[in-house]
Amino acid sequence: MSEMRLSRDNRRWLLTTHIGASVGWLGVAYAMLIMTITAEGSTDLATRQGAYALMSTLDLAAVLPLGLLALATGVILGVGTHWGLVKHWWVAVKLFLNLAALVIPMLTRHPALADALAAARSGLLVDPARQVLDASIASVVVLTAATVLSVYKPWGRTGARI
């Protein structure tokens, strides 16, 4: 299979966009974790309600677009450079981690946020937010691991051609 090669300028633009989206995504993941911890530790219903409402908005307005942008630019860079999409283990694992970090929180944390927000609005201090905390911790860990893989590029080639 012949490789599509990106021009130098396109590669730099895509790499800059990819890094920016990835760093932004990781930053939002850390902020979401801090808001989760703040909400869980607070007995003030307004604090809990505000944190869950903001997190729900950030899930759709920041996490989803940044994750999709990081994923799309990463795939284009993989296909358009010598790294390939699955030629090297670090790229293949990073692709899997990024897909997981994008899909799993949308399937778990986002619905749990809606439930936690409804509980806070109802005046309940005990709410279903454990899933929110677990997903927030997982997002930070997975996105940090993807960042480490990008720097160290471990494990060599997979033997695949794309």
Side-chain angles (χ1 to χ4, degrees):
M1 177 175 185
S2 68
E3 282 183 11
M4 172 191 85
R5 287 292 179 155
L6 294 168
S7 70
R8 185 178 193 191
D9 286 344
N10 284 339
R11 185 187 61 78
R12 286 181 174 173
W13 181 86
L14 280 165
L15 185 58
T16 302
T17 303
H18 180 71
I19 292 169
S22 299
V23 168
W25 190 11
L26 180 58
V28 172
Y30 274 102
M32 297 275 282
L33 178 58
I34 291 166
M35 285 185 278
T36 302
I37 292 168
T38 299
E40 284 295 294
S42 179
T43 57
D44 179 49
L45 289 171
T47 299
R48 292 169 74 92
Q49 185 176 337
Y52 293 139
L54 181 56
M55 289 174 69
S56 185
T57 299
L58 284 174
D59 245 0
L60 298 177
V63 171
L64 189 58
L66 288 170
L68 288 171
L69 184 59
L71 181 63
T73 54
V75 167
I76 295 167
L77 283 164
V79 171
T81 65
H82 71 281
W83 293 111
L85 197 54
V86 291
K87 281 183 187 177
H88 295 83
W89 282 110
W90 74 271
V91 179
V93 171
K94 187 177 168 194
L95 176 61
F96 173 78
L97 291 176
N98 286 347
L99 281 168
L102 185 58
V103 172
I104 293 171
M106 287 300 140
L107 295 176
T108 60
R109 181 180 58 211
H110 197 71
L113 274 170
D115 293 343
L117 180 56
R121 286 181 174 154
S122 298
L124 300 174
L125 286 175
V126 177
D127 58 48
R130 181 61 196 199
Q131 216 172 2
V132 175
L133 180 61
D134 292 345
S136 295
I137 291 168
S139 291
V140 168
V141 169
V142 168
L143 293 173
T144 301
T147 302
V148 170
L149 290 175
S150 296
V151 174
Y152 287 94
K153 300 172 179 51
W155 308 315
R157 291 174 146 299
T158 64
R161 294 186 171 191
I162 57 170

